[in-house]
Amino acid sequence: MEHFDIAVVGLGVLGSAAAYQAALRGKKVVAFEQFELGHVKGASHDTSRIVRTANATPQYVSLAKAAYKDWAYLEKATDQKLLTITGGVMFFPNGSNPPRVDFTTSLAAKNVPYEVLDSKEVNKRWPQFNIPDTVETLYTADTGIAHAAKTVLAMQSLARTNGAILKEHTRVDRVTPKTSSTGVVIETSKGQFHAAKVILATDAWTNKLLAPLGVHIPLTAMQEQVTYFKPTDEQAWEPARFPVWIWGGDPCFYGFPSFGEPTIKVARDTSNNFMTPEQRTYVHSPQLLEQLCSFVGNFMPDKGRQPLRTITCQYSITPDRQFIISPLEKHQDIIVGLGAAHAFKFAPAFGRALAELAIDGKSTEDLSKFGIPNNAIHTRKL
C-alpha cells in the first residue's frame, strides 16, 4: 500500500491551501474530496470574498498581514490575479460589539494604517451610502476582494504541479491513528490509504470523523445566502468608485462593489438559518431576502435597483467563532483546521500553518489562540 507523508481531507479553500503548501515543501501529499472539485455544497464557491487586515483581535491582524504575502506568492506562482484591492469601510452604529476602538487598537498595535471617518466624510467620498451621524466609520486601504472559485482552483492546480494527488468523489469514512506498525489509516469510499500526518479541513463534517476518536467540537451549521443586485447606474458601483463595506450592527451585513459583472453583491452575516449538511435545502429564504432588501434600500438608496439572483452557502461556526488550527491533544498526528466562516481572507496563510504543523510540529505563525476549544468533548480513549 502506498504511503504518504501528508493526507488532507476536504478540498475547500483551507484544505486546498494546506495541500499545495505541503506539496511546495516537497512532501508526498494525497488529498480527498467527497464531492466534485469546485462543488457548491460547502463554503468556498461563488465569485468573491472580502480580504482585510481590520480585526478586533491583534492575532488575527498578524495572520492577515502574513496572508497578504502568501496571496502575493500564490498569484506569482500561478500567474493569476486573485486579489482586487478596493479599500474598505466598516460601519459601527451605537452599541456595536466589538466596538470600533477594538479594531483601531488592534490595527495600531500591528502598524496597519487606517482612518476614522465621520458620516459627512463618508457620504462625501462615497455618495452611494446614506450614513447617519451617529455611526463611526473605519477605513482601511488594504481591504479588497478575493476571487473565491478562481482561488480554490489555483491552489489545487499548484498542489498538482508540485506532485500532490487530488482525489475527488472520494469520501473519507474514518481516520484511525497510527500504531507502531502503520501510519494513520484513512478509510475511504475508494480504498484505504496510509499517511504520517492527516489534516482535517472538513468544516461541517468534522465531527463525523472525530467521533470515533472520542472528540466532539461544538459546531453550529447554518445555511446562508447572498444576493446579487442590478444597480441603476452601473458605473457608480465599480471598484474604483465604491469600496467593500461591512455594517457592524446586529444583524451584521456586508457587501461588494461590482466585480466581474455589472452587479453588487450583498448579504447578511450569520442569519441563524440552522441546519445540518444533510438538511440543507439550497433554497433561499424569502424572509431573509426581504430583510436584506429593506436594509439596503435605506443604507444605499437606489430606487431602480433590482435583485437578480440569490445563492446559498454553508457556515460552520466554532465557539466564539475562533479558528481552530491545532493537532488533537491525544492524537498529535491528526490536525484540525476550522475557519468558523471567516477564514477565506486568511486561506493561504491558514493552509501554510496547517502544513507547517504537519511537517515541523509547529508554525511560524502565532497559533496560541487557535487551539481545540476547552469545551470540546473527549468521550473516550481510542
Side-chain angles (χ1 to χ4, degrees):
M1 181 176 296
E2 193 171 9
H3 185 93
F4 293 88
D5 297 318
I6 296 172
V8 178
V9 186
L11 282 169
V13 71
L14 300 184
S16 298
Y20 96 75
Q21 291 279 10
L24 278 178
R25 288 158 175 76
K27 298 302 176 181
K28 189 176 181 181
V29 177
V30 64
F32 307 99
E33 171 53 57
Q34 62 179 322
F35 306 115
E36 72 277 5
L37 296 181
H39 65 82
V40 300
K41 298 178 176 66
S44 297
H45 60 287
D46 200 32
T47 56
S48 53
R49 296 292 188 278
I50 295 174
V51 292
R52 57 186 167 96
T53 53
N55 198 285
T57 303
Q59 197 164 10
Y60 284 99
V61 178
S62 293
L63 189 62
K65 288 180 67 175
Y68 273 91
K69 297 178 182 178
D70 291 309
W71 279 109
Y73 176 86
L74 181 61
E75 288 185 314
K76 183 176 181 180
T78 60
D79 194 26
Q80 296 186 69
K81 180 176 173 59
L82 302 173
L83 298 189
T84 299
I85 302 303
T86 63
V89 284
M90 300 187 70
F91 299 109
F92 297 90
N94 287 336
S96 295
N97 185 26
R100 187 272 302 164
V101 66
D102 287 8
F103 285 79
T104 51
T105 300
S106 290
L107 290 169
K110 299 301 178 180
N111 299 312
V112 178
Y114 65 85
E115 297 179 68
V116 177
L117 310 175
D118 61 24
S119 59
K120 291 182 180 179
E121 182 64 23
V122 172
N123 294 328
K124 178 182 177 182
R125 291 194 194 185
W126 305 286
Q128 302 92 328
F129 290 122
N130 177 31
I131 306 302
D133 292 340
T134 56
V135 173
E136 292 186 300
T137 302
L138 170 66
Y139 173 77
T140 45
D142 62 3
T143 297
I145 305 168
H147 194 298
K150 188 176 176 181
T151 291
V152 177
L153 181 61
M155 290 176 169
Q156 292 168 355
S157 176
L158 189 57
R160 281 178 161 153
T161 298
N162 284 274
I165 298 173
L166 309 186
K167 293 182 173 291
E168 61 182 340
H169 297 293
T170 306
R171 185 187 66 254
V172 173
D173 296 318
R174 188 181 178 99
V175 175
T176 304
K178 67 182 179 182
T179 66
S180 58
S181 59
T182 69
V184 181
V185 178
I186 305 105
E187 297 176 22
T188 81
S189 57
K190 295 185 178 178
Q192 194 177 89
F193 298 81
H194 287 188
K197 300 289 180 72
V198 172
I199 295 170
L200 301 182
T202 42
D203 202 53
W205 293 270
T206 299
N207 281 321
K208 287 187 175 182
L209 294 176
L210 293 183
L213 304 175
V215 179
H216 177 89
I217 295 173
L219 292 176
T220 302
M222 58 188 78
Q223 179 173 281
E224 298 297 319
Q225 60 191 60
V226 300
T227 297
Y228 288 82
F229 292 86
K230 181 71 164 62
T232 302
D233 178 5
E234 298 171 5
Q235 293 184 345
W237 307 91
E238 292 177 350
R241 299 176 62 183
F242 189 69
V244 167
W245 60 268
I246 298 172
W247 175 261
D250 184 14
C252 171
F253 297 91
Y254 62 94
F256 301 77
S258 60
F259 182 66
E261 62 177 352
T263 64
I264 58 172
K265 175 181 171 182
V266 186
R268 173 181 166 175
D269 184 57
T270 56
S271 59
N272 300 325
N273 188 8
F274 301 112
M275 46 115 238
T276 67
E278 294 76 22
Q279 295 168 334
R280 185 176 167 192
T281 65
Y282 299 87
V283 178
H284 78 264
S285 162
Q287 292 80 15
L288 288 173
L289 177 57
E290 182 179 355
Q291 179 197 56
L292 183 68
C293 290
S294 175
F295 172 81
V296 172
N298 294 318
F299 180 66
M300 300 185 299
D302 180 1
K303 291 183 178 180
R305 181 171 50 221
Q306 295 292 324
L308 285 185
R309 66 183 185 275
T310 298
I311 63 173
T312 67
C313 69
Q314 180 174 269
Y315 270 24
S316 185
I317 307 295
T318 59
D320 298 324
R321 213 164 177 181
Q322 294 286 359
F323 287 171
I324 297 177
I325 310 175
S326 174
L328 296 177
E329 180 182 353
K330 297 179 181 179
H331 306 295
Q332 294 286 309
D333 298 319
I334 299 174
I335 299 158
V336 177
L338 283 165
H342 66 112
F344 207 105
K345 66 185 73 66
F346 303 92
F350 196 120
R352 175 170 52 78
L354 289 170
E356 289 170 345
L357 286 176
I359 296 167
D360 302 320
K362 60 182 179 180
S363 174
T364 55
E365 304 301 328
D366 179 6
L367 305 181
S368 58
K369 195 177 182 66
F370 307 142
I372 303 295
N374 291 331
N375 58 346
I377 300 170
H378 299 271
T379 56
R380 61 183 176 84
K381 295 181 179 180
L382 187 71

